[in-house]
Amino acid sequence: MTTCSLCELPTPDPPITDEAVDGEFCCHGCLEVARSVGSLEATSPDDAREELRSDTDPDDLPDEYDEQYLHVDGMHCATCEAFLESTAVENDGVGAATASYATDTLKLHYDPDAVDSDRLPALVSGYGYDATERSLEEDSAVAGDVAVAKFLIGGGFFGMMTMMWYVLFIYPKYFGFEPLIDLSGFDGLYLFTQLWLLASLVLFYTGYPILRGAYVSLKAGEPNMDLLVAVAALGSYGYSTLAMGLGRTDLYFDVTVAIILVVTFGNYYESRIKRRASDLLSELTAIQVDEARRPDGTTVPVAEVQPGDELLVRPGDRIPVDGTVAEGVAAVDEALVTGESIPRTKRPGDFVRGGTVVTDQPLTIEAGEDADSTLDRLVELLWEIQSSSPGVQRFADKLATIFVPLVLTIGAVATVGLIATGASPAAALLTGLTVIIVSCPCALGLATPLAVARGIQTAANHGLVVASDTVFERPIDLDAIALDKTGTLTTGEMEVTETVADDPEAVLSAAAALERAAAHPVADAIVAAAAPETAAANEHNEADRSAMTDGGVATAGWADSAASMGTVDTLERGVRGEVDGADTLVGHRSLFGEGEWNDPEEYLTAADRIAADGAVAVVVGWSETIQGVIAVGDEPKADWEGVVSELAADDREIVVLSGDNEAATQAFGEHPAVDQVFAGVPPEAKAATVRELRSKGRVAMIGDGSNDAPALATADLGIALATGTKLATEAGDVIVADGTLEAVPSLLTIIEKTNSRITQNLGWALCYNAVAIPLAVAGLLNPLLAAVAMGTSSLLVVVNSTLRSLD
């Protein structure tokens, strides 16, 4: 196996070469690095990468520089990161670049006046790399699955043929039966040659990723699971090849095949984790605003928006950048970014966040000082979390750092010792091989993936989708559980919870007749409560509203109503119009000016109580008298109290995080199991809160919205509800398919039992080796018995992993 002249990783066959550059390389990145740095003799891989990396600090770039994230296929090693970064900054307009081999992502800082964002992928593509916008990367994930499947299926086919020949012709002789063919004659040589070819294909084709991983672990000085597998597979393969050349019939190609296939199948899970990590940013990228509209109706790319520019945002549109309201009054839905369930009314001078949605009236905003978006900052935060995280190393890999050198040393000492005491080289090598085979890592290799597979299956039966198999490899001794409020502890949908009035039906009907002219969640809830059968009529689009309204005045006849209404005026904090001949006003209590309306004390008291409970108090009046108050809020889920009590078991700290105000979260803080409630928390603060909790112990985060994604990615265990956004589910380690909380306590039980099962499997494997290796050294085992012992050990691990319940 040849190695790269620069990074010293294994090269493909044939290796990457160029007549103008001395050496053979594993990828085009290393070739171009060698071309750039010149002589390789005086250059180490680390020095070469440092020489290529730009000294430019992104923080030192001018404020007008923007950021762009690209997905890059073809990154092969850490050298590729340096090469892509150096290639990118050579282009005019690109000030800095940061590549992440772990997530196949390239982050570019560029000057939008010098280079168009659409041209960036082409600037860094080539030399074996293919850069695309992140929204296209789902196809690459599918391609990755196909590539892994090719290795697994190809090895399975050749492995099945190998095992079939062993069952028909070789195993009978091992057990004292007359073989079907003469293994010492030409037929035997023909059979053994086939076995050698089939085992070679499995070892060097299917097992190539394992062999490469083993080599890399040796280069890094950190023996891992791949090295453990490679030693056993290569040992049995090498001995069998030598024995076949010497005319022996005790061949162990079956051991090689079994080891490679079992571990390759287990490693298949890991390959999916990297691709999932590279997809984490796609949802936010998809909803980022590409264009901004100026007051004259023309549109410009968001990248061209300068601080102080005035932008027009129509009802239903997403605000392109952070800024302040210059003209207009409208309700703005900030749930996506802040998690706050109730829309906020924005007036001239108020701050508005990029990525939030204007619901009812047009706004003219003035772009902020940085002319950037809160969503952009969320993308940046997720990038930092995903790119800086080293991941969780398997426990078996940690064991391998001790176990592998120990086994190799024992095998070598046994072989040398026997030769020194007069044993024949063949007998000595056979003893050394027996040590390796009997310590074969199949049990260690199966301990984790089989238990994990069982855990995933059991979780699926409870409606839980496990997105990361490492969930089961870590102890579930959680010290704290943080829960989002909106959409997690609550339904996430506004609805009428109470109507305080002498005639509730009449109050709801009158309010709904006017609120149909509005387009925000509170209005939708009132309309739905007044006439559930016509609630679907409220799902109108901008064209419908345009036909209905003219300058903020709505005309009757847009939707059926239980009451007859005329024109409707949309006010700053409510609506006003004529319903059944009466002047009717619906909205905030401040609209009912002091002394202008007859205000029964009971209704004002009810409004204060409703607001104190965190709901929206909608006051309804006509004929100059307040007729009632409607409470609109985000209802808690029916199961939240019982689930929180279960989660608080084992002295876990329960923390509620919400973008809503303190009044909306007060009811949750009163639960005896809830230790702390943090209200008005933006996404960045949610992630920071989780990090603070992690400084004291292990933390789980449960959420459903895009605003929860950074916190979910930061937590030791991220649990996402599938009823939320795609970004949240991709950031979670586990996804609750039905969006309820009932399955979460079951998840913790499944994780605890699966982790315990893994520990049992590893414990058995180590105890087995502690007994079997000394027996092999003492000459009390031969390779056949060693293989049988190894197989029995693996079978026990299989039984323990798959046949015992985790419920």
Side-chain angles (χ1 to χ4, degrees):
M1 179 185 299
T2 60
T3 58
C4 179
S5 300
L6 181 66
C7 71
E8 301 181 3
L9 290 177
T11 61
D13 186 17
I16 307 298
T17 59
D18 190 292
E19 294 181 357
V21 181
D22 293 332
E24 298 179 339
F25 304 93
C26 63
C27 61
H28 290 278
C30 287
L31 171 63
E32 295 304 321
V33 169
R35 192 194 309 275
S36 301
V37 301
S39 173
L40 295 177
E41 295 181 359
T43 305
S44 70
D46 292 338
D47 292 339
R49 287 191 288 270
E50 287 303 318
E51 183 174 337
L52 282 177
R53 290 189 187 276
S54 171
D55 294 331
T56 303
D57 187 342
D59 294 335
D60 296 333
L61 294 173
D63 293 338
E64 60 266 19
Y65 272 64
D66 286 342
E67 298 171 358
Q68 176 81 322
Y69 297 88
L70 302 177
H71 173 78
V72 182
D73 283 322
M75 277 201 272
H76 183 74
C77 59
T79 308
C80 295
E81 294 179 344
F83 176 69
L84 281 169
E85 292 169 6
S86 65
T87 300
V89 298
E90 288 175 357
N91 294 280
D92 293 336
V94 179
T98 306
S100 171
Y101 170 51
T103 57
D104 292 332
T105 303
L106 179 65
K107 175 184 176 182
L108 299 178
H109 302 261
Y110 70 100
D111 182 358
D113 293 331
V115 59
D116 189 80
S117 61
D118 294 338
R119 292 185 54 233
L120 293 176
L123 294 181
V124 295
S125 293
Y127 303 106
Y129 304 105
D130 183 22
T132 58
E133 295 182 4
R134 296 200 61 86
S135 58
L136 303 177
E137 65 180 346
E138 288 185 3
D139 293 335
S140 66
V142 173
D145 284 338
V146 172
V148 174
K150 285 181 178 178
F151 275 95
L152 196 56
I153 293 173
F157 175 75
F158 296 128
M160 182 176 61
M161 294 177 62
T162 302
M163 300 310 294
M164 182 175 66
W165 294 143
Y166 265 90
V167 170
L168 292 177
F169 302 112
I170 298 179
Y171 288 156
K173 181 182 179 182
Y174 285 176
F175 291 99
F177 298 102
E178 187 67 27
L180 298 178
I181 62 174
D182 182 8
L183 297 179
S184 61
F186 176 79
D187 291 342
L189 179 60
Y190 177 74
L191 173 64
F192 295 153
T193 301
Q194 288 190 65
L195 292 175
W196 178 81
L197 288 173
L198 293 172
S200 298
L201 288 170
V202 172
L203 177 61
F204 297 109
Y205 173 69
T206 306
Y208 173 76
I210 296 173
L211 298 178
R212 180 181 174 220
Y215 179 81
V216 172
S217 76
L218 284 175
K219 289 292 298 179
E222 296 181 1
N224 64 359
M225 188 68 176
D226 286 337
L227 182 58
L228 196 66
V229 174
V231 168
L234 288 171
S236 56
Y237 175 84
Y239 173 83
S240 300
T241 301
L242 179 61
M244 184 179 69
L246 297 175
R248 301 176 63 96
T249 59
D250 51 333
L251 309 182
Y252 299 98
F253 292 120
D254 54 336
V255 175
T256 298
V257 169
I259 293 171
I260 293 297
L261 292 184
V262 167
V263 178
T264 298
F265 182 77
N267 287 343
Y268 175 72
Y269 291 110
E270 292 181 344
S271 68
R272 297 185 62 86
I273 302 307
K274 178 183 173 182
R275 289 192 299 276
R276 188 183 69 86
S278 67
D279 288 337
L280 268 175
L281 304 177
S282 60
E283 174 72 2
L284 281 183
T285 302
I287 63 176
Q288 284 176 307
V289 183
D290 295 325
E291 293 184 333
R293 187 182 305 275
R294 298 194 184 280
D296 61 5
T298 60
T299 59
V300 296
V302 171
E304 296 182 7
V305 174
Q306 299 297 319
D309 285 357
E310 289 195 346
L311 306 172
L312 175 66
V313 186
R314 299 179 301 184
D317 285 350
R318 199 174 296 280
I319 296 174
V321 297
D322 293 351
T324 56
V325 177
E327 183 179 343
V329 177
V332 176
D333 183 0
E334 299 181 323
L336 176 69
V337 173
T338 68
E340 187 169 357
S341 57
I342 301 173
R344 286 185 174 272
T345 301
K346 300 294 183 178
R347 306 175 183 82
D350 287 348
F351 173 76
V352 287
R353 293 180 172 88
T356 57
V357 180
V358 175
T359 63
D360 52 359
Q361 297 293 322
L363 286 180
T364 300
I365 71 165
E366 182 179 307
E369 182 177 347
D370 296 328
D372 63 359
S373 167
T374 300
L375 280 177
D376 293 328
R377 290 196 294 275
L378 285 181
V379 171
E380 172 73 17
L381 184 58
L382 277 177
W383 159 270
E384 296 297 336
I385 291 171
Q386 292 299 327
S387 296
S388 62
S389 174
V392 180
Q393 187 182 23
R394 285 190 171 184
F395 182 50
D397 284 345
K398 297 178 182 178
L399 289 177
T401 62
I402 300 174
F403 184 70
V404 173
L406 180 62
V407 169
L408 292 177
T409 300
I410 293 173
V413 169
T415 301
V416 173
L418 287 173
I419 293 176
T421 57
S424 67
L429 287 173
L430 194 61
T431 298
L433 177 62
T434 302
V435 171
I436 295 175
I437 292 178
V438 81
S439 63
C440 172
C442 271
L444 282 173
L446 289 169
T448 296
L450 283 184
V452 165
R454 178 64 169 170
I456 291 174
Q457 181 184 19
T458 304
N461 293 337
H462 287 266
L464 300 160
V465 179
V466 178
S468 169
D469 62 353
T470 58
V471 164
F472 298 113
E473 298 179 24
R474 298 172 291 196
I476 196 60
D477 51 343
L478 296 172
D479 298 287
I481 298 178
L483 300 100
D484 168 55
K485 182 188 80 72
T486 305
T488 301
L489 293 175
T490 67
T491 61
E493 298 179 359
M494 302 297 288
E495 59 184 45
V496 172
T497 59
E498 181 184 6
T499 302
V500 181
D502 291 337
D503 188 350
E505 185 175 343
V507 168
L508 266 177
S509 178
L514 297 181
E515 291 286 17
R516 283 193 174 91
H520 55 79
V522 174
D524 295 348
I526 292 174
V527 172
E533 69 279 1
T534 62
N538 195 55
E539 298 177 1
H540 53 281
N541 56 30
E542 183 180 336
D544 296 324
R545 286 199 302 274
S546 298
M548 179 188 72
T549 63
D550 182 14
V553 179
T555 57
W558 177 79
D560 293 336
S561 174
S564 173
M565 70 173 185
T567 59
V568 179
D569 293 324
T570 302
L571 307 177
E572 182 175 321
R573 307 188 73 178
V575 288
R576 188 168 193 165
E578 186 176 294
V579 178
D580 291 336
D583 178 26
T584 303
L585 180 61
V586 179
H588 192 270
R589 61 174 295 176
S590 62
L591 294 175
F592 298 80
E594 191 172 339
E596 298 179 14
W597 288 72
N598 179 23
D599 47 0
E601 185 65 26
E602 60 179 302
Y603 295 144
L604 296 183
T605 301
D608 291 338
R609 174 180 55 81
I610 290 168
D613 290 340
V616 178
V618 180
V619 181
V620 182
W622 61 80
S623 301
E624 299 183 350
T625 300
I626 295 177
Q627 305 291 337
V629 181
I630 302 172
V632 180
D634 185 17
E635 280 288 273
K637 291 182 177 178
D639 59 351
W640 84 271
E641 293 181 287
V643 171
V644 167
S645 296
E646 287 189 66
L647 295 178
D650 299 326
D651 295 325
R652 298 189 186 105
E653 181 181 1
I654 302 298
V655 177
V656 176
L657 305 177
S658 176
D660 282 336
N661 57 35
E662 292 184 5
T665 60
Q666 181 179 355
F668 300 98
E670 295 172 353
H671 191 287
V674 176
D675 297 285
Q676 295 186 76
V677 175
F678 296 97
V681 182
E684 298 90 339
K686 285 186 177 182
T689 302
V690 170
R691 280 194 294 270
E692 177 63 24
L693 292 172
R694 287 188 68 192
S695 68
K696 305 173 184 177
R698 292 179 54 80
V699 179
M701 171 69 192
I702 307 175
D704 78 314
S706 292
N707 61 90
D708 300 318
L712 289 168
T714 303
D716 295 290
L717 175 64
I719 304 173
L721 307 186
T723 51
T725 65
K726 178 182 176 185
L727 178 70
T729 56
E730 288 187 336
D733 299 303
V734 181
I735 302 157
V736 183
D738 61 4
T740 65
L741 290 171
E742 293 178 343
V744 175
S746 298
L747 168 67
L748 300 185
T749 299
I750 294 170
I751 293 175
E752 180 180 4
K753 290 187 176 181
T754 302
N755 181 261
S756 175
R757 201 67 48 82
I758 293 172
T759 303
Q760 293 168 9
N761 290 344
L762 292 173
W764 160 253
L766 291 175
C767 289
Y768 155 79
N769 280 286
V771 174
I773 291 177
L775 292 177
V777 172
L780 300 178
L781 294 177
N782 59 35
L784 176 58
L785 291 177
V788 172
M790 178 268 293
T792 302
S793 174
S794 300
L795 180 61
L796 289 175
V797 169
V798 171
V799 171
N800 188 50
S801 299
T802 61
L803 298 185
R804 295 175 58 198
S805 173
L806 294 173
D807 295 322

